[in-house]
Amino acid sequence: MLDALPNRPDLPAEIARRRTFAIISHPDAGKTTLTEKFLLFGGAIQMAGQVRAKGEARRTRSDFMQMEKDRGISVSASAMSFDFREFRFNLVDTPGHSDFSEDTYRTLTAVDAAVMVIDGAKGVESQTQKLFEVCRLRDLPILTFCNKMDRESRDTFDIVDEIQENLAIDVTPASWPIGVGRDFMGCYDMLRDRLELMDRADRNRVAESIEIDGLEDPKLAEHIPAHLLDQLREEVEMARELLPKLDPQAVLEGHMTPIWFGSAINSFGVKELMDGIGTYGPEPQVQRAEPRQISPDEKKVTGFVFKVQANMDPKHRDRVAFVRLASGHFHRGMKLTHVRSKKSMSITNPVLFLASDRELAEEAWAGDIIGIPNHGQLRIGDTLTEGEPIRVSGIPSFAPELLQSCRAGDPLKSKHLEKALMQFAEEGAAKVFKPEIGSGFIVGVVGALQFEVLASRIELEYGLPVRFEPSQFTSARWASGPKQALDKFIDANKQHIAHDNDGDIVYLTRLQWDIDRIGRDHPDVTLSATKEMMV
């Protein structure tokens, strides 16, 4: 975390009860199902949807795009707020699919902690590892949920070892599973000395909880078959000797992760995880910014845009900027300064999200995520303040790994296409480059699936069939340097030069050799694979 000052005053109660976190995992580990159950236990929905199921039951709340519903995957990060016990949870569901990792990366700049979901049978998978590295860079506290324990899964100690080895973080068990797969009955809650038993008959029912007095309590024999009870006692004893004790400070510093076991689809283990987020998760934290950091207990409101979603409501061509409040107490109707343009904006209809349902936000506090509908004034990386020219830093934009040229099916509609592509570029869904020479656009993405998502969204939202065709270029770099050197570089490489949607100069390359050659021929020009969003 950032420099948490030891003598920092306690946060106001409303801010201190906020827990803002993201859920990260490999695709298919059960992240969206877990999100649904969070909403169920938070009382936000009456019955959880299933990601893959029949008819209307299959509509999960957090996947609202047509393509997400068809494929059962999440492709855009969505934000949800709900109360649980005395806490206010702001949950951001991120796409697990690696083709959307940039959206996920930016989302992690707006949260104070991450919940990592692991599949009990598969352990730590490649995408989990990548996302974990991002959390590491930001020193985010991480809480782990090992899902799908009701299916055949690996030995509990193996799972814990794998997390410790692959992710280089201490793991401490918060609960311990009783049996696995078909024999999975529930968990022993190691933090509160309770027995939690799973009900397989009703997936939306909260597990039965039995208070016990240690693992020697004779009551245990009434609920657990003898062979599983012996195994549980032996494993818990080993776990207590071999694994570190829970240290709340180490969790907040990102050096230790508590792990809960359960089955999200059976609503099991979820409530204990939510209790854990409330108890061990961090309060809203200090935010990095230039020229100074922003502390959540400051009286004045500041917030920054970490995501823009266009056309969330197909009936209105709307754009919603997701704003994470970094400090202060926000009221509807407030005037805030848009730091990039230095203009004042009146925020008259801010919204709070429950997936695609929204309600007007009369007020919000530091740590909350609100949506501000606007017509393109707000972009990713923008900061809103009560007048101070301060800019939240550390929101990156990455060079795309795949480039294709994009043409409208109907040549007369190229103006419409330009508008649609610019909208997606501002949303951060793709990079759009306009080459100096020739017509058309070159669209850059991180993963191939994004081309399909773009084509289907342009057709659905704008009624424009488009074609993506292979391009001669394989990657893009942002060019910077003294004006004279840049002009000389552009003149010499006209066929490689394009501009992105901010008007910045981009060098399109075919081979690594092109990049090396620029280094030799134009030593004053810097080619960069990342750029800070909207400086």
Side-chain angles (χ1 to χ4, degrees), residues 370-384:
I370 58 171
I372 300 181
N374 72 98
H375 295 290
Q377 302 95 310
L378 290 176
R379 295 192 197 166
I380 294 169
D382 278 349
T383 307
L384 296 169

Side-chain angles (χ1 to χ4, degrees), residues 3 72 106 150 164 167 195-196 210 307-308 326 411 441 523:
D3 333 329
R106 282 199 294 264
D150 56 327
Q164 303 214 47
L167 306 179
L195 190 61
E196 306 286 348
I210 298 155
K307 174 184 165 63
V308 174
F441 292 90

Side-chain angles (χ1 to χ4, degrees), residues 50 117 134 149 178 204 227 260 264 282 317 334 349 422 480:
Q50 284 133 29
V117 184
V134 175
M149 293 306 289
I178 304 167
N204 284 329
H227 71 288
W260 284 263
R317 280 256 173 271
M334 261 182 127
N349 48 359
M422 285 308 163
S480 58

Side-chain angles (χ1 to χ4, degrees), residues 13-283:
E14 263 307 324
I15 295 178
R17 75 183 195 99
R18 301 295 195 260
R19 296 288 180 273
T20 305
F21 59 97
I23 301 191
I24 60 171
S25 80
H26 195 80
D28 235 20
K31 190 171 39 135
T32 303
T33 309
L34 182 64
T35 305
E36 291 286 298
K37 300 296 176 168
F38 275 2
L39 295 177
L40 181 75
F41 286 127
I45 56 176
Q46 262 41 69
M47 189 185 142
Q50 284 133 29
V51 182
R52 292 208 170 84
K54 298 185 185 75
E56 277 308 298
R58 64 181 296 197
R59 305 283 176 250
T60 58
R61 304 296 162 112
S62 56
D63 289 349
F64 57 86
M65 277 182 176
Q66 191 54 46
M67 184 158 186
E68 295 179 307
K69 292 171 182 171
D70 295 344
R71 289 191 178 218
I73 59 169
S74 306
V75 298
S76 73
S78 53
M80 284 153 267
S81 301
F82 55 95
D83 287 313
F84 174 71
R85 296 209 333 252
E86 70 271 29
F87 301 108
R88 174 72 167 184
F89 280 0
N90 296 309
L91 178 160
V92 187
D93 180 24
T94 61
H97 205 289
S98 60
D99 288 7
F100 302 94
S101 48
E102 190 170 341
D103 196 17
T104 305
Y105 194 112
R106 282 199 294 264
T107 301
L108 291 174
T109 59
V111 296
D112 301 313
V115 171
M116 177 165 73
V117 184
I118 286 179
D119 181 325
K122 296 176 184 159
V124 177
E125 296 172 87
S126 57
Q127 187 60 19
T128 319
Q129 199 146 358
K130 271 195 195 158
L131 292 168
F132 180 83
E133 293 303 324
V134 175
C135 296
R136 224 333 112 74
L137 288 173
R138 303 190 57 79
D139 287 334
L140 281 182
I142 291 177
L143 298 100
T144 305
F145 182 69
C146 185
N147 192 16
K148 305 193 182 181
M149 293 306 289
D150 56 327
R151 302 192 189 174
E152 287 315 314
S153 59
R154 294 173 28 191
D155 176 70
T156 313
F157 283 105
D158 282 355
I159 295 170
V160 170
D161 283 349
E162 186 180 14
I163 299 172
Q164 303 214 47
E165 277 170 32
N166 285 6
L167 306 179
I169 188 169
D170 288 333
V171 179
T172 179
S175 68
W176 199 264
I178 304 167
V180 291
R182 231 167 253 170
D183 298 336
F184 180 68
M185 297 185 56
C187 285
Y188 165 55
D189 182 336
M190 292 176 72
L191 300 178
R192 294 179 301 186
D193 195 29
R194 279 190 196 160
L195 190 61
E196 306 286 348
L197 296 179
M198 183 171 92
D199 182 353
R200 279 181 186 260
D202 181 358
R203 285 185 159 171
N204 284 329
R205 229 184 93 187
V206 180
E208 186 186 354
S209 182
I210 298 155
E211 298 262 351
I212 51 172
D213 183 18
L215 283 176
E216 298 310 316
D217 192 324
K219 256 198 292 192
L220 285 167
E222 298 166 23
H223 301 282
I224 304 174
H227 71 288
L228 286 178
L229 184 53
D230 292 344
Q231 186 188 353
L232 174 70
R233 285 176 174 150
E234 189 185 324
E235 287 186 351
V236 169
E237 195 177 334
M238 275 174 66
R240 285 194 164 136
E241 280 179 22
L242 296 172
L243 297 169
K245 265 199 152 70
L246 180 69
D247 171 358
Q249 193 51 38
V251 173
L252 290 178
E253 287 166 6
H255 306 315
M256 172 182 273
T257 177
I259 183 167
W260 284 263
F261 293 86
S263 160
I265 196 140
N266 289 303
S267 308
F268 182 76
V270 178
K271 198 152 155 293
E272 290 69 38
L273 171 64
M274 292 170 81
D275 283 335
I277 294 169
T279 312
Y280 303 107
E283 305 174 332

